[in-house]
Amino acid sequence: MRRVTWFNATSLTLGFAFLYLPMVILIIYSFNDSKLVTVWAGFSTRWYGELFQNEAFLDAAWVTIKVAVISSSIATVLGTMAALVLVRAGRFSGRTLFSGMIYAPLVMPEVITGLSLLLLFIGLDIDRGIMTIVLAHTTFSMCYVSVVVSSRLVSFDQSLEEAALDLGCSQMQAFFLVTLPIIAPAVISGWLLAFTLSLDDLVIASFTAGPSSTTLPIKIWSSIRLGLSPEINALSTLMISVVAVGVITASLVSKRASLKRQADERAAGG
Amino acid sequence: MRRILLIAVPYLWLLALFLVPFLIVLKISLSDIALAIPPYTPTLDFSAGWDGIKEFFANLDFENFEFLATDDLYWKAYLSSLKIAFVATFLTLLVGYPIAYGMAAAPDHWRPTLMMLVILPFWTSFLIRVYSWIGILSNEGYLNQLLLSLGVISSPLTILNTNIAVYIGIVYTYLPFMILPIYAALERMDESLLEAAEDLGCSRITAFWLVTFPLSKNGIIAGCFLVFIPTIGEFVIPSLLGGSKTLMIGKVLWEEFFNNRDWPVASAVAVILLLILIIPIILFQRNEQKQREAEG
């Protein structure tokens, strides 16, 4: 398959142009001086300034970050537990239902998940606010975490944990001292995935948020509905840059870690 | 003891926040029409014992579903969602396959970078990626400005607020879901098979159709399901890029709930949407299972 032909080169170039051009245009026009988004009127950073003065956006950003940190942390704990159950617990009654409930939210349309959770909260007479969004986000993102973590657990060599038990560790100690450090990369990427899913979610948050707990996507949504806005371009640029820096750093770190591991293995082997 | 605790915590969480809410939706979809005022009748009265349960089931009715069947808005929306999802999945395959192919053919040291470039948009906000197309596709948008200045067209094209814009939005946002499984299938392919085909007299194109394409079939199937299933219930893309004539069931459900405040009908819409989705979801799981068995 290793053949660089003009066809492959063109399809890669066009493909990546398609994937990135819209975002590049958005970033360029976030520095546009004009209030009209599609007319270029010179370079300016005024929309960034206005963005940082817009209390509504700042409040919504704060709510979003709080919700994302809390829900992704709970989801990581629950999702890791669920992954342990899926991979290790063997047979127990209700196992099919359990794995069904882990995989179903991944393909469930968000409108249905949102509607059903809202009806639950209303049925239980729970006031909608940050807490209800956290509950909702935790539920769907723990499923993503458990899929990520369980794929790592499958390849985990259980004899390492057994060795720890033989050497006098309790089960808890063996898990925290041996298993967890080894599956840590999967747990961390599970947390990051849950975090971005929560940051990004519009539909489920719209159903489960109360009037006083607007998240950033809900805020962005209501401004976009009124048409293009240069402030949203500035906000988008900030969000895209944060993600790009984060993902590129993470991939460089993991690349270095794997190079180091290879070097260690070579040293140990040689 | 510890094992029971380990199972119980995530299990109970999912029961309480995933399964029970669905049962509530199902129950409300079978309730009488009542605008946004709980409790919905019939209510389940456990204190009345068996008689209470019997009465509950006797009072369930299908009037919301009958309403869905008689008002042609709903079945048109289901059909139109299916149609849009089919066409969009096919278009995504058409755009995604050459990219996955190009990635698999790229030199080894490029691949991690190419992979990261495909995954990166997946981590960036979905809402923003859809929003970026409004500026491109609108009548005064960048695409029309470009085409007008090049003299390709003499008056602006209307793309935004049509189904074409919805297709573009879906292809754009779901492309990584199509590329990654196809790339995974192509990457595993044994290169010597292609050499053998060419030694035996195949041209490159026939070798592609006879060898490469069939071997990437599982990746294609997985990618198509990963695009098709979530697209049916899509809400954001048709609302932002589609016009008033774009009918998709996710949008209808949203409007039924937030604008019309008819919760029982919204619940019935959700139940039927789920029933429609069960078929592709089961097919998808079968395909995954088959692949795992073939590998294991």
Side-chain angles (χ1 to χ4, degrees):
Chain A
M1 280 291 293
R2 317 266 186 294
R3 277 188 263 198
V4 183
T5 61
W6 66 267
F7 176 80
N8 295 336
T10 329
S11 59
L12 280 182
T13 316
L14 289 180
F16 285 107
F18 177 62
L19 274 175
Y20 285 93
L21 256 182
M23 285 191 262
V24 171
I25 295 174
L26 195 68
I27 292 169
I28 294 172
Y29 275 83
S30 75
F31 295 104
N32 181 9
D33 197 34
S34 164
K35 202 168 175 60
L36 288 167
V37 174
T38 51
V39 182
W40 182 258
F43 179 88
S44 140
T45 52
R46 66 186 264 216
W47 302 113
Y48 290 88
E50 300 212 356
L51 183 68
F52 283 107
Q53 255 138 50
N54 191 327
E55 298 259 330
F57 276 122
L58 295 180
D59 286 348
W62 181 229
V63 169
T64 311
I65 289 170
K66 263 196 289 195
V67 167
V69 169
I70 301 172
S71 68
S72 56
S73 304
I74 307 174
T76 304
V77 176
L78 288 171
T80 307
M81 289 173 88
L84 285 167
V85 173
L86 280 178
V87 178
R88 298 255 185 98
R91 302 240 150 260
F92 59 93
S93 53
R95 191 193 158 90
T96 320
L97 177 66
F98 184 76
S99 61
M101 288 194 299
I102 290 289
Y103 289 106
L106 308 180
V107 287
M108 198 59 69
E110 291 171 312
V111 277
I112 299 185
T113 313
L115 176 73
S116 65
L117 282 163
L118 172 63
L119 294 174
L120 172 81
F121 295 141
I122 289 172
L124 294 176
D125 207 12
I126 299 174
D127 279 339
R128 276 174 285 153
I130 289 183
M131 208 223 350
T132 47
I133 315 176
V134 167
L135 287 174
H137 282 185
T138 305
T139 308
F140 76 82
S141 47
M142 71 174 272
C143 301
Y144 285 88
V145 174
S146 70
V147 170
V148 173
V149 174
S150 63
S151 69
R152 176 92 185 190
L153 266 179
V154 169
S155 61
F156 174 80
D157 184 0
Q158 279 222 27
S159 58
L160 292 172
E161 209 177 287
E162 281 154 20
L165 293 174
D166 285 346
L167 293 170
C169 274
S170 72
Q171 282 213 317
M172 279 293 208
Q173 279 173 323
F175 176 77
F176 283 104
L177 293 175
V178 178
T179 315
L180 193 57
I182 294 177
I183 62 168
V187 175
I188 293 169
S189 58
W191 187 89
L192 283 173
L193 185 59
F195 184 77
T196 39
L197 285 170
S198 172
L199 282 189
D200 200 20
D201 167 61
L202 163 77
V203 176
I204 294 171
S206 298
F207 277 99
T208 51
S212 61
S213 54
T214 305
T215 64
L216 201 52
I218 300 178
K219 190 76 202 131
I220 294 175
W221 173 254
S222 51
S223 338
I224 297 176
R225 298 285 282 179
L226 303 173
L228 292 164
S229 119
E231 268 182 306
I232 296 290
N233 284 4
L235 179 62
S236 308
T237 304
L238 288 177
M239 289 169 72
I240 292 171
S241 343
V242 169
V243 169
V245 170
V247 172
I248 292 168
T249 317
S251 76
L252 288 180
V253 167
S254 76
K255 197 176 170 189
R256 267 182 68 178
S258 79
L259 285 178
K260 188 171 175 293
R261 201 166 47 237
Q262 277 171 13
D264 287 351
E265 273 161 19
R266 230 176 290 130
Chain B
M1 189 58 220
R2 206 169 271 141
R3 178 170 172 268
I4 293 171
L5 199 70
L6 180 69
I7 297 176
V9 174
Y11 208 133
L12 291 177
W13 183 287
L14 285 172
L15 277 182
L17 285 148
F18 186 73
L19 196 62
V20 169
F22 278 112
L23 298 178
I24 296 176
V25 170
L26 187 62
K27 190 243 150 192
I28 290 178
S29 74
L30 294 167
S31 303
D32 291 327
I33 290 174
L35 294 184
I37 353 172
Y40 296 97
T41 54
T43 45
L44 185 51
D45 185 8
F46 278 116
S47 58
W50 182 237
D51 283 337
I53 296 172
K54 258 201 303 205
E55 198 188 304
F56 169 75
F57 278 107
N59 282 327
L60 289 178
D61 64 50
F62 289 91
E63 61 182 349
N64 294 308
F65 291 97
E66 279 163 26
F67 175 68
L68 292 193
T70 49
D71 191 329
D72 63 357
L73 166 76
Y74 300 99
W75 61 262
K76 275 188 181 155
Y78 285 115
L79 283 182
S80 145
S81 297
L82 283 171
K83 195 198 108 197
I84 291 177
F86 262 117
V87 176
T89 306
F90 180 70
L91 294 174
T92 316
L93 177 63
L94 232 47
V95 177
Y97 198 96
I99 302 176
Y101 187 86
M103 284 171 70
D108 277 342
H109 59 278
W110 284 15
R111 292 183 183 187
T113 316
L114 293 176
M115 270 290 270
M116 202 188 71
L117 284 173
V118 173
I119 296 172
L120 196 60
F122 178 79
W123 291 88
T124 24
S125 168
F126 185 83
L127 195 54
I128 287 172
R129 279 184 292 146
V130 178
Y131 166 76
S132 67
W133 281 95
I134 300 178
I136 297 174
L137 298 176
S138 69
N139 279 357
E140 311 81 43
Y142 312 123
L143 181 65
N144 274 320
Q145 286 180 19
L146 178 75
L147 292 177
L148 284 171
S149 67
L150 290 175
V152 181
I153 50 171
S154 52
S155 60
L157 301 170
T158 309
I159 306 175
L160 192 66
N161 299 331
T162 66
N163 279 358
I164 297 172
V166 176
Y167 290 132
I168 294 175
I170 296 173
V171 172
Y172 182 66
T173 46
Y174 286 95
L175 200 55
F177 292 101
M178 185 63 87
I179 294 177
L180 292 174
I182 297 177
Y183 168 71
L186 286 175
E187 213 223 345
R188 272 199 299 268
M189 206 180 88
D190 186 355
E191 204 182 337
S192 55
L193 292 173
L194 272 184
E195 283 164 14
E198 282 178 28
D199 286 347
L200 292 171
C202 274
S203 73
R204 276 209 175 169
I205 294 173
T206 38
F208 172 79
W209 281 113
L210 294 175
V211 180
T212 313
F213 189 75
L215 284 174
S216 60
K217 207 182 75 198
N218 273 328
I220 295 175
I221 295 173
C224 286
F225 277 122
L226 286 177
V227 176
F228 183 76
I229 294 169
T231 304
I232 295 181
E234 185 53 55
F235 161 73
V236 174
I237 298 172
S239 311
L240 284 181
L241 303 179
S244 52
K245 274 189 249 153
T246 305
L247 261 186
M248 284 193 82
I249 200 65
K251 203 175 129 195
V252 169
L253 194 161
W254 175 283
E255 276 159 12
E256 200 61 61
F257 189 85
F258 284 105
N259 301 352
N260 298 347
R261 306 243 137 225
D262 193 338
W263 297 6
V265 167
S267 302
V269 170
V271 170
I272 293 188
L273 175 54
L274 258 188
L275 289 178
I276 291 176
L277 280 172
I278 282 176
I279 303 162
I281 288 173
I282 290 175
L283 289 176
F284 174 67
Q285 279 183 330
R286 284 234 180 109
N287 183 56
E288 293 283 288
Q289 190 95 37
K290 230 171 50 193
Q291 239 173 298
R292 241 173 287 147
E293 278 161 15
E295 279 162 24

